Amino acid sequence: MKRPLVYAAVMTICGTACGIGDCSGAVRLSAAIAALLIILSFKKNSLLLIFSVLLFSTAFFRGAIVYQRYTGEECLEFFEKYKASNPGQFDYSIYLKSLGICSYSDYEAYMQKKNNETEDKAEATYKIRSICSEVLDEELDNEDAGLYKAILLGDRSDMDTNTSELYKAAGISHLLAVSGLHIGIIGGGFFKLLTKLKIKKRKATLIASAAVYFYMLLCGVSGSTLRAAIMLIIAFAAADHGRSYCMRSALAIASIITVLRNPYMIFTAGFQLSFGAVIGIIYTGKLMTKAVENQLSRLRDKKELKTVPVSDLGFSGKRIKNDCRLPALIKTIIISAAIQLTLLPVTAWHYFVFPV
């Protein structure tokens, strides 16, 4: 079977959903059916069958154990205050569980750390974060400084509320999360610089991977940051070993590690938007691009179209060749639309808006 890691990731998420009691009965039933169908598809391959059952069981028990941690009397009393009071309302108790908070003392410690009141001043990440924040505050006005802190450092505490709402309404709030774009530019650029300096590829891979890991710690280990860091480190490893990089497999590995590390991460908007955006690139974008190219191919075969001026599609300059492969600019636009379509239900569910 092709892409076994993709099925492994689905089994992990299904097992986690079945193990966490906070999931609704319909979600748990759907996850169980999906896992059963995957297991049945592996019946001719005993090794994959055993692996898939083992992975599902591991994720199930991991989710169940974490869920049981939040069912104590003190925890239930604490979460009762933060539960959603209306259907569809943001459930702050689930968000707190994703942060590992289950009591008032945990909540106070988290808020103090968030406000840097208990941060270890000798910690290297704290020093670098503070220096970067000071530079941004000095060089930019308050609104821009807050925006750049959110994008570069993952710190939204100083971000203007109106600006944040505008990003949500436009359906691009995922840009505020430190993810593939930011880590790719920094980590990939650093790796490229090391190779330009004639440093051996193995050493460049290790140094760049360490830099990506440190940047992840600097920004906070959120779902989107962890996903991007894992995928980039896998890309470095593939380049070091002379192997082709498979984005699907890298995304699957990242999802398995993220979900097993913190099962409640599957409920967060950051996790869903980050992984959903990559899914939009890999699957939805590919399908939409292929559909457009196939349509152009059919028109060409009917001799209704020998070459299509790009100006007819709203652009000028190059022409689409007879093989009907789309120019890079049009592909970029199609993939961007695919990401928006993929994230549309997630954005509507979490932010109650339809971005246009």
Side-chain angles (χ1 to χ4, degrees):
M1 177 175 286
K2 294 182 179 180
R3 316 288 186 198
L5 284 174
V6 175
Y7 291 95
V10 176
M11 290 294 291
T12 303
I13 294 174
C14 289
T16 301
C18 290
I20 295 178
D22 286 310
C23 288
S24 65
V27 171
R28 300 175 78 178
L29 178 61
S30 300
I33 293 173
L36 180 61
L37 291 175
I38 293 175
I39 290 173
L40 291 176
S41 68
F42 288 154
K43 62 182 180 180
K44 294 182 179 180
N45 191 323
S46 57
L47 183 61
L48 285 177
L49 178 62
I50 295 172
F51 177 70
S52 61
V53 172
L54 180 63
L55 196 57
F56 179 88
S57 302
T58 302
F60 175 85
F61 286 114
R62 170 64 176 159
I65 290 171
V66 174
Y67 171 71
Q68 286 299 319
R69 178 191 173 193
Y70 302 127
T71 57
E73 185 176 347
E74 182 183 357
C75 293
L76 292 175
E77 181 183 350
F78 170 74
F79 289 128
E80 189 65 32
K81 178 181 177 181
Y82 298 103
K83 279 187 176 181
S85 55
N86 296 309
Q89 184 180 359
F90 175 67
D91 195 337
Y92 193 58
S93 65
I94 295 292
Y95 176 70
L96 291 175
K97 291 176 182 179
S98 72
L99 297 175
I101 298 173
C102 60
S103 65
Y104 290 104
S105 59
D106 290 342
Y107 185 76
E108 290 176 2
Y110 167 76
M111 293 305 297
Q112 289 175 354
K113 184 177 180 180
K114 186 177 180 181
N115 295 327
N116 295 328
E117 294 177 14
T118 61
E119 191 100 37
D120 184 3
K121 298 297 188 294
E123 194 175 330
T125 54
Y126 175 82
K127 288 185 176 181
I128 295 175
R129 190 187 301 117
S130 298
I131 293 172
C132 293
S133 297
E134 290 173 3
V135 171
L136 292 173
D137 287 332
E138 291 175 0
E139 299 297 330
L140 302 171
D141 57 51
N142 292 336
E143 185 176 346
D144 290 340
L147 179 61
Y148 277 93
K149 286 180 187 179
I151 294 175
L152 297 177
L153 303 176
D155 180 11
R156 301 192 190 186
S157 58
D158 295 330
M159 187 173 176
D160 183 68
T161 305
N162 293 331
T163 303
S164 179
E165 291 299 326
L166 287 174
Y167 272 81
K168 291 178 182 178
I172 54 175
S173 58
H174 58 280
L175 295 178
L176 298 176
V178 178
S179 57
L181 176 64
H182 318 85
I183 290 182
I185 291 174
I186 294 174
F190 191 56
F191 179 76
K192 197 71 175 178
L193 175 63
L194 293 174
T195 54
K196 289 290 184 182
L197 294 175
K198 307 299 182 182
I199 296 177
K200 291 183 179 180
K201 190 172 287 187
R202 177 62 55 85
K203 289 184 178 180
T205 298
L206 294 175
I207 295 172
S209 298
V212 168
Y213 178 74
F214 182 78
Y215 182 64
M216 179 184 68
L217 296 179
L218 182 70
C219 301
V221 190
S222 63
S224 58
T225 310
L226 182 61
R227 189 271 308 163
I230 293 172
M231 292 185 70
L232 188 58
I233 291 173
I234 291 174
F236 291 158
D240 178 43
H241 289 81
R243 305 287 293 272
S244 60
Y245 173 66
C246 177
M247 188 179 289
R248 290 182 179 87
S249 299
L251 181 67
I253 293 173
S255 65
I256 292 171
I257 294 174
T258 303
V259 172
L260 289 179
R261 175 180 175 271
N262 184 356
Y264 273 86
M265 192 68 74
I266 62 175
F267 295 104
T268 63
F271 174 88
Q272 294 173 14
L273 288 172
S274 181
F275 280 85
V278 181
I279 291 172
I281 295 172
I282 298 174
Y283 295 101
T284 314
K286 183 178 179 180
L287 289 173
M288 290 176 63
T289 302
K290 190 174 181 180
V292 173
E293 290 178 344
N294 288 341
Q295 183 63 29
L296 291 173
S297 178
R298 283 193 292 269
L299 291 173
R300 185 199 62 187
D301 293 341
K302 292 178 181 179
K303 297 184 179 181
E304 294 179 14
L305 182 66
K306 288 295 183 182
T307 59
V308 180
V310 182
S311 57
D312 290 351
L313 300 175
F315 302 91
S316 60
K318 296 182 180 179
R319 298 167 68 86
I320 296 178
K321 299 179 181 179
N322 281 337
D323 58 8
C324 295
R325 287 179 295 181
L326 296 171
L329 179 58
I330 298 179
K331 278 188 176 181
T332 301
I333 294 173
I334 292 175
I335 291 175
S336 298
I339 294 173
Q340 293 292 347
L341 287 174
T342 305
L343 297 181
L344 183 62
V346 179
T347 305
W349 174 261
H350 287 284
Y351 303 117
F352 311 105
V353 293
F354 288 98
V356 294

